[in-house]
Amino acid sequence: MTGFLHLNTSKAATLRCPALYRSPARGPVHQHRPITCAARLHLTSNGSSGSSSDGSDTSTNALRKGPGSLRKKDFRKFVHFFRQASPYIEGHRDKTFVIVIPGEVVIEDELLATVVEDIALLHSLGVHIVLIIGARQQIDELLEKQGEAPQYAAGYRVTDSVAMQTAVQAAGASRMAVEAQLSKGPSLQMIRRHARSSEQMHYGPALQTVTGNYVAGKRKGVIGGVDFGCTGTVRFVQADAIRKQLNGGHIVLLGNLAYSAAGEVLNCDCYSVATQAAIDLQADKLFCMTTPSLQPFDLPHWLPISDAEQLLQSLLESKDKDTHAPIQHAGQLMRQTERALTNTGSGSIDFEKWYVSGLPLPLIAACAACQKGVKRAHLVDARMDGALLLELYSRDGVGTMLSADFYEGIRGAVPQDLASIQGLLLPLEERGVLAPRSDDQLLTDLPYFRVAERDAKVLGCAMVKPLGPGCDNELVSELAAFCVHPDYRGSGRGDSLLAYLEQEAKSQRVDRLVLLTTRTADWFEQRGFQHAGPAHASPFLPETRRQQVNQARNSQLYVKSLNEPPPFETFEEEDADAATSSLLKA
């Protein structure tokens, strides 16, 4: 399909520093919950640093420096955050993300400004971005101003000629609101500081947005006697044309409008457009920015696609019974999940079927996209300042991630797995990498083992065994017997297995994982474990377990904190030296 192309040249604030707008990658204990940008930088409402009794900048001096100035005491935090986020920055470079900004967010100027500011920052960090801009609420409000009542049937808008004109108007206004935010330029004061004084202060556009007739649709037609008029169903998006624009450094803007082969403009739902765009583009991630009205449930940080399907089904059954599903239901599903995820549930989700149910559209879109090959889908609360950055550039994020492949084939061990586990561990025991375990010991510990399998073949194993409270009364569990078959090392199965065990330990309210090792420290250190000295003498290992350590092996203890980090405000300058040297503080 060929057609018109609208090119908007706009400037983006590419000289922002990522660390100013996010919490660090969440790992060890002393990392921080998100709060507002102003609070993170100790800024007053006019953007300047307030006076303090420790000799830091006064309001006048800070104001002279300009908005965004860091006080000297914040330098270490700044550097710490930047370093923690650097692996994620590189990992997301050149990836394609589809991001839904629903009308409920677009209509709130402050929410839209913070979300789009973070999107511009993502673009400057090398992420390919397709924005899907919704307008449902705006269409309803415009219709009501004209004395027209919005009409819906089975969850879809009935789009007559008046509603269609209104939809076009609302789509244009919503798109321009986003483009206006993306057009904000960087601070000239900042640019002059890093430019030669002889340079003329004229700048080309730092960011370009592109929109056009990239979404192909068809009329929904007459269903159950209801003529939906110009309401459309998305057929596909022009993936090659969009990729060309992304490779050219543009942000692609799509909306609620689609174009038919008959030359009609059709009104579609932004979630339908986003789901199809993510599938056709083979996007790495789909993000749905949400509000409580769009996604009212308290979901866990990670939700397997199979559990998400079960949740939708349970919500549908509860809706049929005219009852409200308990808000903690998804978390219960997650904690009860100790089965193989070798398939992704009951099959592909029928978006149309679930749409008419009235269930949360962001959750339905995320499930549908993952079922069709999108690796990750994220539900992120737009009200949290910097939530998009925190979700992407911190270890655990702040939203809910849905995925079909993350823990594929990982399950609890059963007696039939005993021979396979022994086969994996024996070569490492013979080389002295692992401490020998008797058959009786393996059988006793079998309930704590998890295995990773493919086509009924066990490829890896590990166990997490509770040790009880540690020296500081935090709940401690031991990670042991961690092994992946040599033929499958380097394929990511070890990372998936470790992530699964960490999530499971968190759901059991374990505060800290400990690991005894003599030769594999490097691999675990790269994944957040920290050295705590010889295992037989470390206070971080509970006394009963410490007495069982074979001192002759001189095993070293490594620990990883799993509990939630304290608020940012608690990290004061006087704690900096202690935080640097302490094992449990980053």
Side-chain angles (χ1 to χ4, degrees), residues 24-72:
R26 289 208 267 177
V29 171
H30 214 81
Q31 295 175 354
H32 315 291
R33 290 180 185 148
I35 57 173
T36 62
C37 296
R40 291 178 211 154
L41 297 176
H42 304 279
L43 299 181
T44 60
S45 59
N46 65 9
S48 61
S49 301
S51 60
S52 61
S53 58
D54 59 2
S56 57
D57 295 333
T58 63
S59 297
T60 302
N61 291 334
L63 183 59
R64 194 174 295 126
K65 292 180 179 180
S69 299
L70 275 174
R71 292 190 300 179
K72 186 174 181 180

Side-chain angles (χ1 to χ4, degrees), residues 173-187:
S174 296
R175 191 196 73 233
M176 285 189 289
V178 172
E179 288 177 340
Q181 292 294 336
L182 288 171
S183 299
K184 290 182 177 179
S187 167

Side-chain angles (χ1 to χ4, degrees), residues 302 341 376 401 403-411 450-453 460-462 479 482 484 488 490-504 523 527:
W302 174 70
L341 299 178
R376 306 281 188 271
M401 182 184 76
S403 67
D405 65 323
F406 200 51
Y407 303 142
E408 180 181 6
I410 301 176
R411 58 174 175 80
R450 300 293 178 262
V451 297
E453 69 172 2
C461 68
L479 174 64
F482 194 99
V484 175
Y488 295 91
S491 63
R493 284 181 169 81
D495 284 303
S496 295
L497 182 58
L498 178 60
Y500 181 95
L501 295 170
E502 290 180 1
Q503 290 290 345
E504 189 175 50
W523 192 90
R527 287 149 182 86

Side-chain angles (χ1 to χ4, degrees), residues 102-114 137-138 291:
E104 288 80 357
V105 174
V106 175
I107 206 168
E108 297 286 342
D109 293 341
E110 291 186 4
L111 280 186
L112 180 64
T114 57
Q137 185 168 336
Q138 291 87 328
T291 63

